Amino acid sequence: MNQDQIFLEREGNQWFKRNKKVLVDHTEIDWALHLIDLLKPKREIKNIVDLGCANGWRLNQLSEKFGDINLVGIDASLEAIQDGKQRYPHLNLYQGLLKNIPINYQFDLVIIGAVMHWIDRENLVKTIAEIDRLTADGGILLLGDFLPDYPQRRHYHHLPNEQIYTYKQDYAKIFEALVTYKEIAKITSNHDQRELGIQVCDSSSRWVCTLLQKSLQGFYQEVT
């Protein structure tokens, strides 16, 4: 059983139980929401998906900013999804893995925060393809994850007896290498000190939120 399946069947629920109070109260700065606040024009965004949405707390805040638009969330934790459906009945929440997302249409804004470093390396390329499939031409992809100086692997301390890892690397570069994505903004911060302000931190704790725009043709230079 790979680690994606372990998160689907049990560890996703355990993660949600450990973090539920923080998610419900949520007083820390959320860099994804901060970047979305800076996006203009917002009127072009008609539907949003949050991949790894937990109970949909971020989508609920976005509903207050965007009004009556289509808001969809996917998470491995069934308990998180059930909690979100009770708290936020206006959201469309589904349990699932990112290697096989149970949605068949595209979005103007795709958010994936603090998820890529959990993905089993066996499913990494398939997951990237699924994210790309959901991102509309001209749409925005928002990636939030660790940004170390070099790719790192760390054993997952909550499951010390299993071969489960977190994988830290610059995930935005993978999408930029496709040439169909281009960085338009990013913010780096200290993952261990979540507060507004610039501060020095160790490379392993550096966090980045990157906004990428997708264009199937726009980033290719025309030559004759």
Side-chain angles (χ1 to χ4, degrees):
M1 182 184 299
N2 66 31
Q3 65 185 55
D4 290 2
Q5 201 65 31
I6 289 172
F7 270 84
L8 181 70
E9 294 185 4
R10 63 180 192 273
E11 185 55 27
N13 288 334
Q14 295 304 314
W15 183 95
F16 179 65
K17 289 176 182 177
R18 291 193 298 268
N19 293 277
K20 182 177 180 179
K21 186 178 187 304
V22 175
L23 295 174
V24 171
D25 297 339
H26 206 81
T27 57
E28 298 175 342
I29 181 72
D30 183 72
W31 293 108
L33 289 173
H34 183 65
L35 277 177
I36 292 169
D37 280 341
L38 299 176
L39 268 177
K40 293 183 179 180
K42 291 186 178 64
R43 64 179 180 273
E44 296 180 359
I45 298 176
K46 302 299 183 183
N47 56 8
I48 300 173
V49 63
D50 190 353
L51 304 177
C53 67
N55 64 352
W57 65 269
R58 181 186 287 119
L59 286 169
N60 182 59
Q61 293 193 36
L62 289 173
S63 70
E64 298 172 1
K65 299 175 185 295
F66 285 87
D68 187 21
I69 66 171
N70 183 34
L71 296 165
V72 178
I74 309 292
D75 200 89
S77 169
L78 181 59
E79 290 188 21
I81 294 300
Q82 291 172 336
D83 181 86
K85 286 183 175 181
Q86 291 180 347
R87 291 178 188 275
Y88 316 119
H90 56 291
L91 303 180
N92 300 304
L93 305 178
Y94 306 92
Q95 185 194 25
L97 292 174
L98 301 195
K99 68 175 182 178
N100 188 21
I101 299 170
I103 302 292
N104 60 6
Y105 57 92
Q106 294 188 309
F107 294 83
D108 304 313
L109 174 59
V110 176
I111 304 167
I112 177 164
V115 177
M116 296 301 293
H117 63 271
W118 297 115
I119 301 297
D120 194 292
R121 299 299 93 169
E122 179 182 352
N123 297 323
L124 179 60
V125 173
K126 189 172 183 180
T127 297
I128 290 167
E130 283 289 271
I131 295 168
D132 178 60
R133 179 177 66 82
L134 290 189
T135 308
D137 187 13
I140 300 294
L141 173 62
L142 194 160
L143 285 171
D145 221 297
F146 290 99
L147 183 66
D149 290 338
Y150 51 88
Q152 300 175 3
R153 184 182 78 169
R154 177 171 294 183
H155 197 270
Y156 183 48
H157 65 278
H158 288 294
L159 295 174
N161 298 320
E162 301 192 55
Q163 296 301 305
I164 304 297
Y165 297 92
T166 56
Y167 299 89
K168 301 178 181 182
Q169 66 186 85
D170 189 347
Y171 289 101
K173 279 188 176 179
I174 298 175
F175 287 90
E176 289 182 280
L178 300 175
V179 190
T180 51
Y181 289 84
K182 185 176 182 179
E183 177 189 306
I184 57 176
K186 71 178 177 182
I187 296 176
T188 59
S189 60
N190 185 344
H191 179 266
D192 300 328
Q193 300 290 332
R194 299 189 184 186
E195 57 187 36
L196 189 61
I198 297 172
Q199 54 186 297
V200 176
C201 68
D202 181 79
S203 163
S204 297
S205 298
R206 187 188 301 126
W207 188 261
V208 63
C209 274
T210 307
L211 280 176
L212 301 160
Q213 184 172 29
K214 179 178 178 180
S215 176
L216 294 178
Q217 300 295 332
F219 306 137
Y220 285 87
Q221 183 174 346
E222 191 79 19
V223 295
T224 58

